[in-house]
Amino acid sequence: MDITASQIESIVRSVLTSMGTSAAPKANGPIPKVANVAMLTGPKNIEIQQLPIPELGDDDILVKVEGAGICGTDVHEWKMDPFGLIPVILGHEGTGEVVAVGKNVKVDTAGKPLGVGDKIVTSVMSCGDCYACRMVPGRTNLCDNQGVFGLVGDKRGQAEGNRVNGWFADYMVIKGGYGVTYFQVNELNLYQRMILELACVCVHALERSQKTGLLNFGSKVLVQGCGPVGLVMITVLRAAGINHIIAVDGNEDRLKTAQKMGAKTTVCFKRPDEDTLEKRVAKVKAVANNVGVDFAFQCTGAPVAAQDIYDYIRRGGGLCEMGFFVNNGEYKINPHFAMCNKEIDIVGSWDYSAEDYPKTVAFLKQCAEMNIPIEELITHTYPLDKMNEAMETNVAQKGIKICYINDK
């Protein structure tokens, strides 16, 4: 009796399963043995190293990296290691193609089919044990032990753990387990996928802010800070139907980009007629019913900017603070005038939950429908061996969104 190769493979898998042994992971072609990684070995020092790719477990996924955005958190860690992560492979805004999966991997976190050849992005990891995970499971971003690929080590499964878990590499391993989340995103192109994580931060901030009831088609909304976060926040607001967005920044080029993304009014603190807070507030009030904006998003990490933003907001308005993902210091305000007398609603926004990812995919599709050129925010791309240069470009604010692209 003739037996085909596929039949032999099926028989072997059945025998291995009956013996309690995992079958080999599904893959197209041979699984690579090593990954080239951009290892942060010291402040402002990324070195290209080769690391062995750990053996895939039943719940694991091997991804060939296609690209990854550089986040402000990556730059912060690169500059001075404030999180004490060194040595570490950074990169959490990444995407790539699945090249091998463990036998238990069938679907992504949202239940969509997932297998070899699919495009994938990662989201957060939650512990499942802390108070937030147990009592508010819909807000896993508040997990006390939250993990993020490319920012935390992974000691599960073996003595050395999985060090190949950052997106600044040519291959990375998604080690499965409780709280690990990832999504199949075949419908998005590479640039959309590289900006997805950043967009998710802003989609989450919008959802937090909508709970105040202050955002609608007629709202006058101010966005302070036109870096990557602020500019994407503008696109999210525009896609959500906010018709009058006011952008505040000190860089005229970024304010021009803000207009392309959907801002109707721009305010620049370097213009002679807008170089004091009083002048800027007067301009904002002139286009905001002579009372101030209905809502404001604070997207800078600058305490002085955060201190000023209350003056732009009308009585009964609202504020979303989303600029201080890291500790950049404090500022002083008079609570009577800034908050109580105005009776403003204030919400904080902290990264995102996995539940925000499907909504963000829909947002990116909406940008395409509305011809909002969000992909143009990616202004510079670098190969793996130029990651120090990429970081320098980011620090110098020579572009907007800087990305690593694997061109091999």
Side-chain angles (χ1 to χ4, degrees), residues 336-379:
H336 169 73
F337 293 109
M339 302 176 189
C340 294
N341 180 265
K342 288 186 173 182
E343 201 168 275
I344 64 172
D345 291 334
I346 302 175
V347 297
S349 186
W350 174 255
D351 60 42
Y352 47 79
S353 296
E355 291 86 350
D356 295 308
Y357 263 66
K359 289 176 284 188
T360 305
V361 171
F363 154 71
L364 290 168
K365 292 179 180 178
Q366 182 70 6
C367 282
E369 289 284 339
M370 297 178 65
N371 295 316
I372 301 173
I374 190 171
E375 295 167 48
E376 292 184 16
L377 296 180
I378 297 176
T379 56

Side-chain angles (χ1 to χ4, degrees), residues 76-241:
H76 203 58
E77 174 63 17
W78 173 79
K79 286 168 64 178
M80 59 189 76
D81 190 28
F83 308 120
L85 301 177
I86 290 176
V88 64
I89 306 165
L90 295 172
H92 56 277
E93 298 181 355
T95 183
E97 182 174 313
V98 175
V99 296
V101 296
K103 70 173 185 177
N104 293 338
V105 179
K106 308 292 184 184
V107 297
D108 71 358
T109 301
K112 292 171 64 176
L114 180 71
V116 173
D118 286 326
K119 307 300 183 182
I120 194 171
V121 295
T122 49
S123 184
V124 291
M125 297 175 271
S126 56
C127 71
D129 294 325
C130 69
Y131 181 88
C133 284
R134 288 184 285 106
M135 302 305 294
V136 282
R139 299 175 69 182
T140 52
N141 62 312
L142 300 181
C143 171
D144 290 334
N145 307 300
Q146 185 189 68
V148 180
F149 287 95
L151 278 178
V152 295
D154 190 341
K155 299 298 184 184
R156 296 172 295 161
Q158 53 186 302
E160 290 297 318
N162 170 30
R163 300 183 69 197
V164 191
N165 74 332
W167 285 99
F168 294 164
D170 60 357
Y171 287 90
M172 67 94 69
V173 174
I174 301 171
K175 192 168 184 59
Y178 188 87
V180 174
T181 56
Y182 44 80
F183 296 88
Q184 182 252 87
V185 285
N186 293 344
E187 64 267 52
L188 303 180
N189 65 40
L190 176 57
Y191 273 36
Q192 289 173 316
R193 287 184 274 130
M194 288 193 297
I195 214 165
L196 173 59
E197 193 270 355
L198 170 58
C200 201
V201 170
C202 299
V203 167
H204 181 80
L206 176 65
E207 185 168 83
R208 292 277 297 138
S209 302
Q210 285 173 327
K211 297 181 186 302
T212 66
L214 292 165
L215 293 168
N216 55 62
F217 293 114
S219 302
K220 305 294 192 300
V221 179
L222 182 142
V223 175
Q224 185 176 52
C226 291
V229 173
L231 290 169
V232 173
M233 194 69 237
I234 289 170
T235 68
V236 169
L237 290 166
R238 188 69 193 92

